[in-house]
Structure formats: structure tokens, C-alpha cells
Amino acid sequence: MSKFAAALFFAILATSTCKEFSCLEGDTHKEKPSSEPDMHECTLYSKSSCCNADFTVQLDRSPVVQVNNSYWNRCGNLSKSCEDYTKKIECFYRCSPHAAHWINPNYTAAIQFVPLCQNFCDDWYEACKEDLTCVRNWLTDWEWDENGENHCKSDCSPYSEVFANGTELCQTLWGNSFKVSESSCLCLQMNEKDAVAIKYILSESSEESSSISSSEERACHKKLLDSEHLNGEEWTETT
């Protein structure tokens, strides 16, 4: 191996390692993920968390009214089903040790293009379609006051009138933080299945690929089935 190739290899390795053991640079993020056994919510990430357990106290109630300076109830309290999905997204951003793999290069406290499963987005839409919102993009469309608190600039409308479907919801509500994956396995569902999917998503064979091959898809499904001892009928493989 030439000196240049060796230097490039170790630079790539260092970058990968840095992402693997670091967190986003948001105001509630730790420098590095670590165990948080006393988490009130977001327990999916308790073994390796980028947020402190104290943060999750804000989510350990229903209805959730406020998370830091952001109010979730500007159009009334979210329904329990919609709130549960909103918590999943909040927990991933604040606490997941994997979120930094999708760090926004222009803003290191943010994420971009995290691949979500289509069924997760569709279920999220169904859970929230009758709830009300006054913004399409929760990151940019609010009016912020001098205390950093969010307020509506428009009238409240049902999610079903603001977003056409689950795809639009996932790819709009948090700006470009998320995208709907073309794969039904190499994607996140914000549950325990992500532990298998993430390993495959971040593998060299599928990293940043513009298209998902059928072999990768089948291999991902097999790993998921093997790890959970699921029946093959519970998953439909993409051919």
C-alpha cells in the first residue's frame, strides 16, 4: 500500500470512528454516548445514549406540552397516538448514538436525510392526521419570540390537510432531516429492529448508495429474521 493510500485509509477510518463514538452538537447532547439506565423515556437508547436521563423527564408525561423552549400544543395537545410518534423522532434526534452518522455538514447540531421506512411514515401519518398544526416545517416555520419560544404564524389545520401522505410528512415536518427509504429493510422504524438495520445501512456495501440492490435487501431481511427468530411470512422481501 502506498503512503498516500495508507494515509487516506486511516483518515477514512478516523472519520468513521469519530462518528461512531460521538454525538451531535445540540444543546442537550453529550460529547460521547454512554449508558443512561435511569431514562424516563427514549429507553431504546439507554445502553448508549447521547442525551442525559434528566432530559427525558420532559417527555415522561402525556400530554407533552413543552420540550426545552419548544411548545407542542400551539394548536392544542397532540393525541396520544400522534404524541408517541413525535416522541420517537425527538428521542432519535436527542438520544440516539447513531444520529451523528447523518450529521448536517452545514450545521453540526442537525441531521439530514436519515432513512425512514415507508411503513413508519405511513403509520405516523395515520396517527397524526386528525391532529392540528399551524406549520409544515417544525424547524423553520414558527415565529420565535425574544425568549426563544415558538408561536403560530398561520391558522391551525389538520395534518391531513397540511400533508398529503406519510412520505410528505416525513420529508417535510423536520425539513430535510429525514427521507423515505426506497428499501423496506435498510431503514429506521425507531424501534428495536433498528439495531439490525443500522449495522447494514452503515456497512460499506450500502453506505450512501443511490439505489438498493435486491441482494442487499434480501440479506438485510435475512439478518433481521435471524436475529429476531421471526417467521418469514412476517416480512415481504423485495426482489
Side-chain angles (χ1 to χ4, degrees), residues 41-207:
E41 284 281 353
C42 311
T43 54
L44 181 64
Y45 311 109
S46 61
K47 292 182 179 179
S48 179
S49 173
C50 279
C51 69
N52 292 302
D54 288 348
F55 164 77
T56 65
V57 173
Q58 301 177 77
L59 299 173
D60 186 30
R61 63 176 71 91
S62 186
V64 175
V65 173
Q66 179 182 1
V67 177
N68 289 354
N69 284 343
S70 180
Y71 285 82
W72 289 15
N73 66 342
R74 291 309 191 196
C75 289
N77 293 328
L78 297 176
S79 65
K80 182 62 168 61
S81 59
C82 184
E83 178 184 88
D84 286 345
Y85 275 88
T86 308
K87 282 185 180 182
K88 290 176 186 289
I89 296 297
E90 194 77 38
C91 285
F92 175 82
Y93 168 68
R94 304 279 185 176
C95 306
S96 172
H98 303 292
H101 285 286
W102 292 280
I103 193 169
N104 187 323
N106 299 316
Y107 182 42
T108 53
I111 51 179
Q112 66 174 9
F113 307 132
V114 178
L116 296 180
C117 297
Q118 182 71 65
N119 67 300
F120 175 86
C121 294
D122 292 341
D123 291 345
W124 183 8
Y125 181 79
E126 285 298 314
C128 294
K129 67 180 182 181
E130 296 182 4
D131 286 75
L132 300 177
T133 181
C134 60
V135 296
R136 279 175 55 82
N137 186 330
W138 277 36
L139 300 182
T140 62
D141 292 353
W142 298 103
E143 182 174 324
W144 302 92
D145 64 22
E146 63 276 7
N147 297 317
E149 296 178 357
N150 59 312
H151 299 275
C152 290
K153 293 190 291 186
S154 304
D155 294 336
C156 297
S157 300
Y159 273 64
S160 59
E161 294 182 7
V162 177
F163 307 102
N165 48 43
T167 298
E168 187 174 344
L169 172 65
C170 276
Q171 297 185 163
T172 305
L173 191 66
W174 272 53
N176 67 355
S177 298
F178 301 99
K179 67 175 182 179
V180 177
S181 175
E182 63 186 76
S183 165
S184 63
C185 190
L186 304 177
C187 54
L188 305 185
Q189 301 190 60
M190 306 301 171
N191 61 25
E192 65 281 350
K193 295 176 182 177
D194 291 353
V196 172
I198 283 176
K199 290 180 181 179
Y200 222 85
I201 291 169
L202 300 178
S203 69
E204 184 178 355
S205 63
S206 62
E207 185 178 6

Side-chain angles (χ1 to χ4, degrees), residues 185 200 214-224 237:
C185 190
Y200 222 85
S214 59
S215 60
E216 286 177 323
E217 183 78 359
R218 286 194 294 269
C220 177
H221 280 299
K222 184 177 185 304
K223 283 192 175 184
L224 192 59
E237 292 197 349

